Amino acid sequence: DTAVSQTPKYLVTQMGNDKSIKCEQNLGHDTMYWYKQDSKKFLKIMFSYNNKELIINETVPNRFSPKSPDKAHLNLHINSLELGDSAVYFCASSQGWGGGNQPQHFGDGTRLSIL
Amino acid sequence: SQQGEEDPQALSIQEGENATMNCSYKTSINNLQWYRQNSGRGLVHLILIRSNEREKHSGRLRVTLDTSKKSSSLLITASRAADTASYFCATDARYNFNKFYFGSGTKLNVKP
C-alpha cells in the first residue's frame, strides 16, 4: 500500500489555467507538507498543516492555496498558472509537528508543465 | 537563509568504493536529516541526527555531525549500483521549530 499518494503524477496545462493536486497519506500522521522542487533539484517547503491547521506558510504567491479537509488529506490548488510554476510538487507527511524532529515520508511527486 | 549545501554536487565512483558527501548549514539547528531520491521518485528518509549527537550508523550508512563547524557528512560504505541517487541533507532552525530546509543535493553515480 502506498503510504503517501499524489494525483495526478503528470499535469500538462496552459498558462492561465487553474489546477489542483491531491495528496493522501495512510500513515496516521498528524502533519502534512507541500514542497516544490525546481529544475536544479532544489527542494523548498511551501506549506505545512498539523491536524488540519496551517503552521507553515512560506513566501508563496497567493495563487497557491492549500486545503486540508481532514488530517489524512492535503490538496494544493493553483490559480492562474504561470510558466515559472513548472516544477515537481511533492507532498509529505510526518508524525507530530515541526519539520525537523521527525522523518518525513514523501509521495512520488506531481510533474507540472506549463505550456 | 538556513539551507544546507551539499558538496560535491556530483560524485562518480566504482561499485565497492566508499562515497562521502558533505553538508554545511548556516545557523544553529536542533536536528539534521539525510534523504535519498532516486530518479523520478520521492525522497526517502535515511537518518536523523540530533544536535547533541556526533555520529549515527544505519547499515552501510554513517552520518557525522559537527555543530561547531555547522557541517555533517554522509558516508556510504561498499557502495552498490543501487545506491545511485541524489542525496539531500535537511535542517531545521534552532529557534524556529517549524522551519525546515533542504539543500540541492549530491548526485551520486555508482558504476558497476
Side-chain angles (χ1 to χ4, degrees):
Chain A
D1 283 344
T2 305
V4 180
S5 59
Q6 298 178 226
T7 54
K9 190 173 174 70
Y10 298 96
L11 190 49
V12 181
T13 190
Q14 302 276 359
M15 207 163 52
N17 284 351
D18 303 338
K19 290 293 177 187
S20 292
I21 307 172
K22 295 186 176 182
C23 179
E24 176 182 4
Q25 54 95 4
N26 63 5
L27 297 165
H29 286 166
D30 296 324
T31 307
M32 296 185 72
Y33 311 81
W34 277 110
Y35 288 89
K36 178 180 180 181
Q37 187 173 45
D38 63 24
S39 58
K40 295 183 179 178
K41 301 299 184 187
F42 178 57
L43 196 70
K44 184 171 171 154
I45 193 165
M46 300 172 69
F47 301 104
S48 172
Y49 270 73
N50 176 259
N51 278 319
K52 302 194 300 175
E53 185 180 336
L54 181 67
I55 56 172
I56 293 176
N57 184 355
E58 289 296 300
T59 309
V60 175
N62 57 14
R63 298 182 294 104
F64 290 78
S65 53
K67 283 199 170 42
S68 182
D70 55 60
K71 74 174 195 175
H73 296 84
L74 181 61
N75 304 322
L76 183 64
H77 188 77
I78 316 170
N79 289 328
S80 303
L81 281 157
E82 299 177 357
L83 289 175
D85 298 332
S86 294
V88 183
Y89 292 84
F90 286 98
C91 178
S93 71
S94 68
Q95 189 61 275
W97 64 283
N101 67 351
Q102 295 290 337
Q104 294 188 24
H105 297 252
F106 282 76
D108 277 338
T110 295
R111 283 138 193 86
L112 175 62
S113 297
I114 309 302
L115 303 177
Chain B
S1 64
Q2 171 68 18
Q3 65 188 70
E5 288 187 16
E6 289 88 346
D7 171 59
Q9 289 189 326
L11 182 60
S12 185
I13 59 174
Q14 292 292 138
E15 209 166 24
E17 292 179 340
N18 295 342
T20 299
M21 288 159 268
N22 302 297
C23 168
S24 59
Y25 54 91
K26 294 177 184 173
T27 60
S28 296
I29 62 170
N30 297 305
N31 306 279
L32 184 145
Q33 301 186 33
W34 282 93
Y35 287 81
R36 183 188 77 232
Q37 184 180 30
N38 291 88
S39 180
R41 303 299 300 273
L43 280 74
V44 174
H45 178 261
L46 297 175
I47 288 185
L48 184 154
I49 187 165
R50 305 199 188 278
S51 59
N52 61 354
E53 298 175 308
R54 291 297 165 256
E55 190 169 310
K56 229 169 171 180
H57 297 255
S58 176
R60 294 182 296 112
L61 306 181
R62 173 181 163 238
V63 166
T64 61
L65 178 63
D66 187 335
T67 53
S68 67
K69 294 181 179 176
K70 293 187 172 59
S71 67
S72 173
S73 67
L74 169 66
L75 168 68
I76 304 174
T77 59
S79 62
R80 305 167 182 167
D83 295 328
T84 294
S86 291
Y87 291 82
F88 295 84
C89 70
T91 59
D92 59 13
R94 182 112 183 232
Y95 300 109
N96 190 332
F97 197 49
N98 290 327
K99 293 293 185 183
F100 196 56
Y101 303 93
F102 281 86
S104 56
T106 292
K107 191 165 184 177
L108 174 65
N109 180 31
V110 182
K111 293 177 280 189

